[in-house]
Amino acid sequence: MKRYAITLISIVLAVAAANAQLLWKVQVPGNTKPSYLFGTYHFAGSSFLDSVPGFNQAIDNCDAVWGEVQRDSLSAPDAVTKMAAASKAPADSTLSELLSKDAYKIVARVFNGYFKEFSVTLDQMNSFKPIAISAQIEALQALKYFPLQDQSDMLDMAIQTIAMQKGKTTHGLENIDDQIQVLFNRSLVKQAQDLLEQCKNDDKYQQLNSKLLEAYRHGNLEQIDSIMFDPTIGGDDEQYRADLIDKRNAKWVAKLMSIMPEQSVLVCVGAGHLPGGKGLISLLRQAGCTLTPVSGKEQ
């Protein structure tokens, strides 16, 4: 879950400028009022929306906003407790148990380098599952390029806040249990292996992270897809892609096609879910919808 898992922590990133590839008008059979599909970068700031042509009109025109998860559900006490429990490793499977001493030293060198200014060391994170540690490293990598201090301004949640201020209802395509399953469905051994490879190739991951954010700035969906599933970081794992993208997209489209014929909605999900043969754009077209990029001139 290398790209998706950074949603585990509250470090927010800002990016700027986009083009219409990120925002699509969805014309659904049987409904004269269009819906919209917008690809987000989960840790971008809300100011990013100012440079997305047509976004303000889209959120004004829709009846409801659907995100990957509903904003308030993430902060519910039950959800916080579940995520905290899911992030902790069993006592006999801590990171120091999963990795050899030499491998642990490699991860510690990278992790401690990123978190030195926070006075946090890998030893303090030893009881967390490897993917939670990997997530925090990735977020710090991105933070080097796009710092933002206000965690309440992260893009997906900010959109839902804006929608609520405009009197729109907000909903989630998934609940906290779905999210936990996506984040933690790999074995701890596999998570540890991925974390070790990430740290061994820290420079490569930094470069790809930078390229990913740049691709998002320009709304380049195909490049986003290519970077997320770069084979040099294990992105060619078919099961990884199926769990992270394909299966979820199929479920989401089934749900949306039960809603959009009756209601105009703005769907805001990670941009990596949009491209490809099993991406949301393709699946919605296969379901009979007409999708066109929004230029801002016409809604």
Side-chain angles (χ1 to χ4, degrees):
M1 305 291 115
K2 295 185 183 73
R3 291 293 160 196
Y4 190 83
I6 57 176
T7 56
L8 283 170
I9 65 174
S10 300
I11 296 177
V12 185
L13 313 173
V15 291
N19 64 30
Q21 281 183 284
L22 294 174
L23 180 63
W24 297 73
K25 181 168 70 172
V26 183
Q27 197 63 60
V28 184
N31 191 346
T32 59
K33 191 175 180 181
S35 288
Y36 301 91
L37 174 66
F38 178 60
T40 69
Y41 178 75
H42 296 309
F43 293 96
S46 62
S47 60
F48 175 78
L49 298 173
D50 295 335
S51 52
V52 179
F55 184 86
N56 290 334
Q57 296 94 321
I59 199 168
D60 285 339
N61 292 344
C62 74
D63 300 315
V65 169
W66 284 76
E68 293 186 27
V69 289
Q70 203 278 338
R71 186 196 68 170
D72 293 339
S73 69
L74 291 177
S75 58
D78 181 56
V80 174
T81 299
K82 284 184 176 181
M83 184 60 77
S87 299
K88 299 298 286 291
D92 61 351
S93 299
T94 60
L95 190 62
S96 59
E97 295 290 335
L98 293 168
L99 295 176
S100 68
K101 290 183 178 180
D102 288 342
Y104 187 90
K105 288 179 181 178
I106 292 172
V107 175
R109 183 175 66 250
V110 173
F111 183 92
N112 294 347
Y114 281 110
F115 283 86
K116 182 177 180 180
E117 64 180 287
F118 300 100
S119 298
V120 176
T121 68
L122 185 63
D123 289 345
Q124 294 171 277
M125 300 294 294
N126 188 43
S127 63
F128 284 83
K129 290 178 180 176
I131 201 165
I133 298 169
S134 175
Q136 298 188 52
I137 292 174
E138 268 198 40
L140 263 290
Q141 287 174 344
L143 186 62
K144 290 173 60 177
Y145 300 102
F146 302 100
L148 185 66
Q149 301 302 316
D150 187 357
Q151 66 182 36
S152 66
D153 197 41
M154 62 185 296
L155 187 56
D156 295 68
M157 299 300 103
I159 291 172
Q160 292 191 36
T161 298
I162 293 169
M164 294 173 71
Q165 292 171 345
K166 292 178 176 289
K168 318 288 183 178
T169 58
T170 61
H171 310 271
L173 293 164
E174 296 178 338
N175 57 36
I176 190 63
D177 294 321
D178 296 323
Q179 295 267 295
I180 288 173
Q181 174 61 24
V182 170
L183 292 171
F184 299 107
N185 70 339
R186 286 192 160 190
S187 72
L188 291 176
V189 171
K190 178 58 176 171
Q191 289 180 35
Q193 291 173 346
D194 289 343
L195 173 60
L196 178 59
E197 288 304 307
Q198 177 184 6
C199 292
K200 283 182 176 179
N201 298 283
D202 183 52
D203 289 345
K204 174 69 172 179
Y205 275 78
Q206 287 192 54
Q207 292 170 8
L208 287 175
N209 210 355
S210 178
K211 289 179 179 178
L212 179 66
L213 296 171
E214 191 66 20
Y216 183 73
R217 280 177 169 150
H218 294 92
N220 191 329
L221 295 178
E222 296 307 318
Q223 188 175 8
I224 289 171
D225 185 74
S226 175
I227 294 168
M228 285 181 62
F229 299 102
D230 188 314
T232 65
I233 59 170
D236 56 349
D237 184 331
E238 293 184 4
Q239 189 61 51
Y240 163 64
R241 180 170 190 133
D243 292 340
L244 181 64
I245 300 292
D246 300 345
K247 293 178 183 179
R248 299 169 73 208
N249 283 355
K251 291 180 181 179
W252 294 353
V253 167
K255 179 175 288 189
L256 291 171
M257 289 307 297
S258 70
I259 298 167
M260 293 190 300
E262 305 295 331
Q263 190 178 42
S264 171
V265 301
L266 169 61
V267 181
C268 300
V269 297
H273 288 278
L274 273 60
K278 295 183 180 180
L280 292 179
I281 294 172
S282 179
L283 292 181
L284 286 169
R285 284 174 171 160
Q286 292 174 33
C289 302
T290 300
L291 277 77
T292 53
V294 174
S295 66
K297 298 178 181 179
E298 297 181 1
Q299 296 296 310

